[in-house]
């Protein structure tokens, strides 16, 4: 069965960076894009960006451009998201999600369990 | 990028039908997907495309779309349907989410 398993919770100081990983299993990793979505406490889901694991191409939300990096390790079927210059407003649960597509639509059909990142001095 | 607008909260009596809507310009070009999120859990895809349900999603969940508005309908709502519901769609190369609708089953 398809699973996305994320790395554990992190506590970081303002100005630091955090890297969250997402290990995929149960399907061919290079066949589906991986997206990153975050959710601050009590807030909406917020899309950050995505990576095509086949070729490593990425696209980011303009809000995070310059601060976020998404990479993949095809040998480990793992995607990672690194967010730099952390501030308190980055405290959130970070999710990875697989994007499945058919002939007319794309959707996030499987999600990781989420990783809480807390930014605090 | 454009935005998707959802009503913040909706309530439905147990066993009745409820419609949750999502409005935005991107929906004129792209289908919405709908996600159910319960407290402390990851979102779960419930409707995608024109009106498709992933395996395991009850058939009381259905979707529709007209113009710039997508709708998620839950017929004969159950207590376990109480959750936050989010729509999303593509917007050019980006993804945009709605603000979410908190569904209360009375």
């Amino acid at each position: 069965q398809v699973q996305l398993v994320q790395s554990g919770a992190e506590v970081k100081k303002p100005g630091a960076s955090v890297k969250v990983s997402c290990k995929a299993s149960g399907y061919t990793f290079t066949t589906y894009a991986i997206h990153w979505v975050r959710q601050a406490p009590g807030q909406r889901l917020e899309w950050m960006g995505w990576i095509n694991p086949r070729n490593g191409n990425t696209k980011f939300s303009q809000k995070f451009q310059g601060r976020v990096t998404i990479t993949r390790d095809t040998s480990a079927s793992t995607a990672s998201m690194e967010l730099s210059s952390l501030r308190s407003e980055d405290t959130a649960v970070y999710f990875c999600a697989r994007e499945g597509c058919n002939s007319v639509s794309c959707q996030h059909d499987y999600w990781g369990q989420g990783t809480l990142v807390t930014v605090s001095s | 990028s454009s935005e998707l607008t959802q009503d913040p909260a909706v309530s439905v009596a147990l066993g009745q039908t409820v419609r949750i809507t999502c409005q935005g310009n991107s929906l004129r070009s792209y289908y919405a997907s709908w996600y159910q999120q319960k407290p402390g859990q990851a979102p779960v895809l419930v409707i995608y495309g024109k009106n498709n349900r992933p395996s395991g999603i009850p058939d009381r969940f259905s979707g529709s779309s007209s113009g710039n508005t997508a709708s998620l309908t839950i017929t004969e709502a159950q207590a376990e349907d109480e959750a936050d519901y989010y729509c999303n769609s593509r917007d050019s190369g980006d993804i945009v989410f709605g603000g979410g609708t908190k569904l209360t089953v009375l």
Side-chain angles (χ1 to χ4, degrees):
Chain A
Q1 73 283 22
V2 174
Q3 280 193 305
L4 299 174
V5 178
Q6 298 182 220
S7 49
E10 302 264 12
V11 179
K12 295 292 182 180
K13 293 193 181 303
S17 297
V18 68
K19 190 171 186 178
V20 180
S21 66
C22 171
K23 182 171 177 58
S25 61
Y27 72 98
T28 302
F29 178 64
T30 52
T31 306
Y32 297 84
I34 293 289
H35 290 240
W36 289 89
V37 176
R38 79 176 187 180
Q39 188 173 38
Q43 301 301 308
R44 70 167 65 189
L45 298 169
E46 182 175 33
W47 178 74
M48 300 180 69
W50 65 279
I51 187 166
N52 180 338
R54 184 183 302 276
N55 56 23
N57 287 348
T58 54
K59 192 176 195 313
F60 307 113
S61 166
Q62 196 167 5
K63 176 175 179 176
F64 300 101
Q65 197 84 31
R67 240 183 10 118
V68 67
T69 304
I70 301 177
T71 57
R72 94 294 192 209
D73 179 349
T74 55
S75 66
S77 298
T78 299
S80 298
M81 183 281 301
E82 184 170 15
L83 188 63
S84 62
S85 303
L86 290 170
R87 35 209 188 230
S88 59
E89 309 88 89
D90 294 318
T91 293
V93 176
Y94 290 76
F95 296 100
C96 63
R98 189 185 85 162
E99 182 181 55
C101 295
N102 56 29
S103 58
V104 295
S105 68
C106 292
Q107 48 281 329
H108 299 117
D109 54 3
Y110 290 92
W111 293 67
Q113 82 275 20
T115 297
L116 175 62
V117 175
T118 303
V119 182
S120 174
S121 55
Chain B
S1 61
S2 65
E3 296 183 351
L4 296 179
T5 302
Q6 298 182 240
D7 291 329
V10 170
S11 62
V12 61
L14 185 68
Q16 297 303 300
T17 296
V18 63
R19 176 174 290 183
I20 298 169
T21 61
C22 173
Q23 287 188 302
N25 286 332
S26 63
L27 300 180
R28 296 185 183 279
S29 304
Y30 302 98
Y31 285 115
S33 300
W34 290 93
Y35 304 86
Q36 177 192 71
Q37 187 181 34
K38 297 182 178 180
Q41 297 184 18
V44 173
L45 178 67
V46 295
I47 289 290
Y48 66 96
K50 190 173 183 179
N51 180 19
N52 299 295
R53 283 176 291 104
S55 174
I57 300 301
D59 60 6
R60 63 179 180 272
F61 289 87
S62 64
S64 62
S65 182
S66 177
N68 73 335
T69 302
S71 300
L72 171 70
T73 300
I74 308 173
T75 57
E76 299 185 12
Q78 304 299 303
E80 61 264 31
D81 299 334
E82 186 162 291
D84 293 329
Y85 290 86
Y86 291 91
C87 60
N88 80 355
S89 80
R90 284 200 173 275
D91 179 18
S92 300
D94 290 357
I95 301 291
V96 59
F97 281 91
T101 297
K102 183 176 184 59
L103 177 65
T104 300
V105 180
L106 304 172

